Amino acid sequence: QKTAYEIGVRLVGSEMCIRDSDNVLTKTDGIIIEDYNKGLLTPDSIALILAKAAAHDIPVYVDPKKENFFVYQGVRLIKPNMTEFVTALSGEYDYKDFESSGTELQNKLNTEILMVTRGERGISLFSDQGMHTIKTKARKVHDVSGAGDTAISAFVLADLAGATIEEAAQIYEDIDEMKEFSPIQTQAFDKLYHTDRSVFVGAPTGGSERRVLAELAIFREIQKENFGKIVYISPKFDLCK
C-alpha cells in the first residue's frame, strides 16, 4: 500500500508540536505538505518535519507559498505556480530562457523534482533528466469541485508506486485540469471512492466521463493493503483510438 499520511500537528504557545510523529512515520510512505501560509507551518516546524522524514527515509512533496519557500530544502518535489516561481528568483527570472531559470531554482532548492504549473502552458518538470513539459488540454466540465489537492496526491501515489516522473505528472495534469466533476460523476463519487459496493452507471455520459468513474474505482482499490489485479474493460472504439 502506498499512501501519504498527514502528520498530526497542534499549536502550543508560539511553537508547533508534532504529535506521535515517530509512530505515524513507521506507517508512512510519503509526506505531502500543503503550505497555505496561515501560520501553522513555521521554519522551525518545517525543519523538524523534514528532519524526521529524512531520518525515516520518507520522501516529502511540497505545495509551497513564498514565505517559507526556501525552507523546503532537499525535498523530493516542490510545486510552485508561475507567480511563486518568478518571486523565488527575486526578479532575476529570464523570460527568454525559462529552462535555465528553472534549472537555477531547482539547484537553489536542492530538490529532486521542481514542478512548475504554468496555467494554459501546462506543467514543466525539472530533474536530473533536464526539463520536460506536459501540455494542458481543454475540457468541458460542470459542477464545482476543486481538484488541486487531489492532483498532488495523485502525483505522489503514482510516484511512490514506481511511475516515471513524466507519467506521474501526466496523471497530475489530467486531474488538475479537471476543476469540476460532471453531474453524473458527482452522484457516483461517494459510492465509487468510499465504499466497496458494485456500481452500474446507466447514463449517456461521454467517454472521458466513463473513464473518470473507472479511475475513481481504481483509486479506491489501490488504497487497500493487498489489492489484486485490476482489469479495465474499455469499449472497442476507445481501444482503437
Side-chain angles (χ1 to χ4, degrees), residues 26-46:
T26 60
K27 303 179 292 184
T28 299
D29 296 297
I31 296 173
I32 301 172
I33 299 178
E34 294 277 2
D35 191 342
Y36 292 107
N37 189 32
K38 300 298 183 181
L40 189 66
L41 291 166
T42 66
D44 287 343
S45 65
I46 293 168

Side-chain angles (χ1 to χ4, degrees), residues 45-106:
S45 65
I46 293 168
L48 179 58
I49 293 171
L50 297 186
K52 286 182 173 289
H56 289 80
D57 196 26
I58 298 171
V60 178
Y61 306 79
V62 181
D63 190 350
K65 287 291 182 287
K66 63 180 182 179
E67 280 70 15
N68 295 321
F69 198 92
F70 285 99
V71 180
Y72 297 107
Q73 290 283 324
V75 298
R76 168 65 174 162
L77 173 138
I78 189 164
K79 185 195 73 64
N81 58 31
M82 274 303 297
T83 299
E84 294 157 349
F85 176 81
V86 174
T87 301
L89 289 165
S90 303
E92 299 174 5
Y93 170 50
D94 185 351
Y95 285 87
K96 295 181 180 179
D97 195 347
F98 174 75
E99 184 170 357
S100 294
S101 297
T103 301
E104 177 187 346
L105 184 56
Q106 182 197 359

Side-chain angles (χ1 to χ4, degrees), residues 37-216:
N37 189 32
K38 300 298 183 181
L40 189 66
L41 291 166
T42 66
D44 287 343
S45 65
I46 293 168
L48 179 58
I49 293 171
L50 297 186
K52 286 182 173 289
H56 289 80
D57 196 26
I58 298 171
V60 178
Y61 306 79
V62 181
D63 190 350
K65 287 291 182 287
K66 63 180 182 179
E67 280 70 15
N68 295 321
F69 198 92
F70 285 99
V71 180
Y72 297 107
Q73 290 283 324
V75 298
R76 168 65 174 162
L77 173 138
I78 189 164
K79 185 195 73 64
N81 58 31
M82 274 303 297
T83 299
E84 294 157 349
F85 176 81
V86 174
T87 301
L89 289 165
S90 303
E92 299 174 5
Y93 170 50
D94 185 351
Y95 285 87
K96 295 181 180 179
D97 195 347
F98 174 75
E99 184 170 357
S100 294
S101 297
T103 301
E104 177 187 346
L105 184 56
Q106 182 197 359
N107 291 334
K108 283 185 176 182
L109 290 163
N110 190 30
T111 183
E112 294 181 57
I113 307 167
L114 173 68
M115 176 193 288
V116 185
T117 55
R118 306 172 64 190
E120 69 278 2
R121 295 187 177 183
I123 293 173
S124 290
L125 300 166
F126 296 88
S127 68
D128 58 4
Q129 301 171 27
M131 186 185 84
H132 178 78
T133 297
I134 297 173
K135 301 296 183 182
T136 190
K137 302 183 293 294
R139 286 185 179 178
K140 183 179 179 180
V141 292
H142 305 282
D143 296 345
V144 174
S145 177
D149 294 348
T150 303
I152 194 171
S153 299
F155 177 94
V156 172
L157 183 63
D159 187 49
L160 292 173
T164 67
I165 60 174
E166 291 84 3
E167 291 168 339
Q170 184 64 65
I171 292 172
Y172 174 99
E173 174 66 16
D174 288 345
I175 294 177
D176 189 52
E177 70 185 15
M178 189 182 72
K179 299 298 183 185
E180 302 147 348
F181 283 132
S182 73
I184 297 298
Q185 292 162 354
T186 300
Q187 292 181 51
F189 178 86
D190 186 65
K191 289 185 176 61
L192 287 168
Y193 192 71
H194 294 298
T195 77
D196 292 319
R197 296 177 60 183
S198 297
V199 176
F200 175 82
V201 179
T205 60
S208 62
E209 290 200 9
R210 289 194 297 269
R211 280 191 290 274
V212 169
L213 294 174
E215 288 163 359
L216 287 171

Side-chain angles (χ1 to χ4, degrees), residues 214 217-218 221 227-234:
I218 290 170
E221 288 301 311
F227 71 90
K229 182 179 293 186
I230 297 172
V231 178
Y232 172 36
I233 301 176
S234 178

